[in-house]
Amino acid sequence: MAAKPKLYYFHGRGRMESIRWLLAAAGVEFEEEFLETREQYEKLQKDGCLLFGQVPLVEVDGMMLTQTRAILSYLAAKFNFYGKDLKERVRIDMYVDGTLDLMAMIMLAPFQRPEEKQETLASVIQKAKARYFPVFEKILKDHGEDFLVGNKFSWADIQMLEAILMVEELNASVLSDFPLLKAFKTRISNIPTIKKFLQPGSQRKPPPDAHYVDLVSNILQF
Amino acid sequence: MAGKPKLHYFNARGRMEPIRWLLAAAGVEFEEQFLESAEDLEKLKNDGYLMFQQVPMVEIDGMKLVQSRAILNYIASKYDLYGKDLKERALIDMYTEGMADLYEMILLLPLCRPEEKDTKIALIQEKTKNRYFPAFEKVLKSHEQDYLVGNKLSRADIQLVELLYFVEELDPSLISSFPLLQALKTRISNLPTLKKFLQPGSPRKPPTNAKSVEEARKIFKF
């Protein structure tokens, strides 16, 4: 019997959160080892588990996979969340890459100085409303289907929901001009595996706080 | 008959260059439409051709693809440069994502402030020597095959060799303690399609200079 995937990361969202979402959406149970000290991190590096000396690391199907996108793509394909053919896959890739660009800005913010952080967060809201959300609202409008690609639940939908919730944490009314995205949010949140993940007690991690920022800065030494 | 792929970008390497390399390596002829002014970019946006208002954009197989990774994934799959199964693809993705991290640092160098340049170059040199080159040398050493993954040419080899040339332009001494990387560079450079691409008169773009940066600032308004 295949072992459960094992995630190695800090006890927080960061670059691992999208991976947790994907596993949860697929209904796959996973284990987590949380890095709490520099020594733990250095041990992983010395043991040769980290190809480029970095986490996230996911142990899955006999592989020590690093690099967030490599892990996400592998899991998406494995769980049939990657479309039915190459043309659907490229659309999923485009949508996911756009969404990940937006989320990368949010991920960076807690580690910036207060003035930069304000600017970044303002930019996130502005880009969400002017660049990203309009695109996905239009996609949903044009095909009138429940899911972003191929009338089937895919990685693009999972990533989109994660991004929506993250932006809403910054600005609760950000979806006010996007009725189809609002409906999409409700619909995807009600998928049983996702619903479970959104409940307290799941492996979903809370937004980063000062403690998390300190922990990561100390372990990664920056 | 399907038209040739058409690349939309400005006349420089930037984020389009890895796409040029991959198409060239696959022996695929392509056309290029160069943005020469801010108005050219505005027109593409107003015509609705750029999903997230950004280039690179590649017209291929009836689609207007954006997001470099999505484009590279599509081309690699289409031309059988993406491994034979999911596990090989995961390895290729892990390797190319690491390459992309280093590539990004060098790519952004011309845009950094003059006072920061020396520090950034030192960081690139350090990461190249201690993190990235050792990782790829180790992969080649582990199986002693001619290609990074699955004993067959893949995008990982093409992208790595592009990176090796990129690093060499910055500091030719960095590759000196990595014999297997040197051998890969020679071997891949001698593939007929890449040999042709590496000759003058090909679509390969020259190193970025101050003039290119000025042009980019003008077109992209930053």
Side-chain angles (χ1 to χ4, degrees):
Chain A
M1 185 179 107
K4 292 181 196 174
K6 190 168 179 187
L7 280 47
Y8 296 77
Y9 201 65
F10 319 104
H11 193 289
R13 288 182 180 175
R15 296 179 187 283
M16 187 62 96
E17 194 71 352
S18 295
I19 294 165
R20 296 183 184 108
W21 270 85
L22 205 47
L23 286 162
V28 171
E29 280 181 40
F30 56 93
E31 291 174 3
E32 301 197 71
E33 184 165 309
F34 298 114
L35 299 181
E36 282 154 4
T37 64
R38 175 85 191 163
E39 288 67 40
Q40 253 181 301
Y41 180 57
E42 284 177 350
K43 182 171 192 307
L44 272 183
Q45 289 174 317
K46 285 198 188 86
D47 289 348
C49 304
L50 309 178
L51 182 63
F52 302 110
Q54 298 165 312
V55 287
L57 166 68
V58 173
E59 208 174 332
V60 61
D61 298 337
M63 297 181 291
M64 294 298 237
L65 281 187
T66 58
Q67 290 293 338
T68 315
R69 272 187 176 82
I71 298 164
L72 288 168
S73 294
Y74 178 76
L75 295 175
K78 186 179 150 91
F79 303 135
N80 280 315
F81 287 151
Y82 221 161
K84 72 179 198 294
D85 57 27
L86 198 49
K87 287 207 169 184
E88 285 193 355
R89 216 169 83 203
V90 76
R91 281 169 54 206
I92 291 169
D93 274 344
M94 280 196 286
Y95 302 166
V96 158
D97 277 355
T99 314
L100 285 173
D101 278 353
L102 181 64
M103 286 169 56
M105 293 169 68
I106 303 177
M107 229 183 277
L108 192 58
F111 296 92
Q112 293 178 314
R113 290 193 307 270
E115 331 78 67
E116 281 179 313
K117 182 177 173 176
Q118 290 280 60
E119 252 183 66
T120 299
L121 294 180
S123 180
V124 165
I125 306 296
Q126 194 270 335
K127 287 204 158 69
K129 288 208 273 206
R131 173 177 285 183
Y132 294 104
F133 289 174
V135 172
F136 297 110
E137 183 80 4
K138 182 172 193 291
I139 287 166
L140 291 170
K141 184 165 193 217
D142 287 349
H143 60 45
E145 292 165 5
D146 281 353
F147 305 105
L148 285 168
V149 178
N151 208 13
K152 186 172 180 250
F153 184 51
S154 78
W155 178 20
D157 304 300
I158 301 162
Q159 203 65 74
M160 189 74 241
L161 177 61
E162 184 190 0
I164 286 172
L165 294 180
M166 278 177 83
V167 179
E168 277 187 334
E169 280 170 353
L170 301 175
N171 180 326
S173 65
V174 75
L175 281 190
S176 55
D177 297 328
F178 304 102
L180 296 179
L181 281 179
K182 262 200 196 144
F184 172 88
K185 178 193 156 193
T186 306
R187 199 161 56 241
I188 306 300
S189 301
N190 280 319
I191 292 174
T193 48
I194 304 271
K195 191 169 187 169
K196 192 168 167 207
F197 187 63
L198 290 171
Q199 272 155 10
S202 81
Q203 284 163 292
R204 188 181 181 211
K205 300 295 174 280
D209 57 14
H211 168 76
Y212 176 75
V213 172
D214 282 341
L215 178 76
V216 174
S217 313
N218 286 332
I219 295 178
L220 298 183
Q221 290 182 346
F222 63 84
Chain B
M1 181 179 110
K4 294 179 194 172
K6 190 172 186 182
L7 279 48
H8 295 259
Y9 203 63
F10 73 118
N11 191 356
R13 288 182 179 176
R15 296 184 185 287
M16 188 61 98
E17 195 72 353
I19 294 166
R20 296 182 183 109
W21 270 78
L22 200 52
L23 285 168
V28 175
E29 275 182 47
F30 54 90
E31 291 172 3
E32 300 200 71
Q33 185 154 308
F34 296 120
L35 303 176
E36 284 162 358
S37 65
E39 291 69 41
D40 286 347
L41 180 60
E42 283 315 301
K43 181 168 195 309
L44 273 183
K45 287 184 192 180
N46 292 335
D47 288 346
Y49 286 7
L50 306 179
M51 183 176 289
F52 301 113
Q53 313 308 316
Q54 297 165 315
V55 284
M57 188 269 277
V58 173
E59 288 183 82
I60 185 171
D61 297 337
M63 300 178 289
K64 291 180 170 54
L65 298 183
V66 297
Q67 292 289 346
S68 344
R69 278 179 175 87
I71 297 166
L72 288 167
N73 288 358
Y74 182 80
I75 296 168
S77 295
K78 186 177 158 131
Y79 297 108
D80 201 24
L81 291 167
Y82 217 161
K84 73 177 196 295
D85 58 27
L86 212 46
K87 284 199 171 188
E88 285 194 355
R89 221 171 79 198
L91 288 181
I92 289 170
D93 279 343
M94 187 165 51
Y95 301 164
T96 55
E97 283 294 309
M99 292 172 208
D101 283 348
L102 180 57
Y103 193 91
E104 184 83 2
M105 288 186 229
I106 308 175
L107 180 70
L108 297 178
L109 205 49
L111 301 180
C112 78
R113 294 194 301 267
E115 13 0 315
E116 289 179 331
K117 207 151 192 174
D118 285 342
T119 316
K120 295 222 185 242
I121 291 176
L123 183 65
I124 291 169
Q125 288 167 319
E126 192 266 317
K127 293 254 179 285
T128 300
K129 266 200 317 230
N130 297 331
R131 169 174 285 179
Y132 294 104
F133 280 10
F136 300 121
E137 184 83 2
K138 187 174 172 196
V139 169
L140 291 169
K141 189 153 197 221
S142 71
H143 53 53
E144 292 180 329
Q145 290 165 359
D146 281 356
Y147 305 102
L148 281 165
V149 178
N151 208 11
K152 186 175 178 244
L153 179 70
S154 78
R155 63 182 287 190
D157 306 295
I158 298 156
Q159 290 182 242
L160 180 54
V161 170
E162 183 196 358
L163 181 61
L164 295 177
Y165 277 101
F166 208 23
V167 170
E168 183 181 49
E169 285 167 356
L170 181 70
D171 180 347
S173 74
L174 289 171
I175 202 177
S176 57
S177 25
F178 302 98
L180 297 178
L181 289 183
Q182 291 172 42
L184 181 81
K185 183 169 178 262
T186 305
R187 205 161 49 242
I188 301 299
S189 300
N190 279 320
L191 293 173
T193 48
L194 278 180
K195 193 166 187 170
K196 191 173 167 202
F197 186 65
L198 288 165
Q199 274 155 12
S202 82
R204 189 184 181 209
K205 302 295 173 275
T208 300
N209 56 17
K211 185 154 171 276
S212 276
V213 175
E214 271 322 293
E215 199 187 355
R217 288 195 191 281
K218 193 186 63 175
I219 296 171
F220 300 103
K221 296 186 179 155
F222 66 91

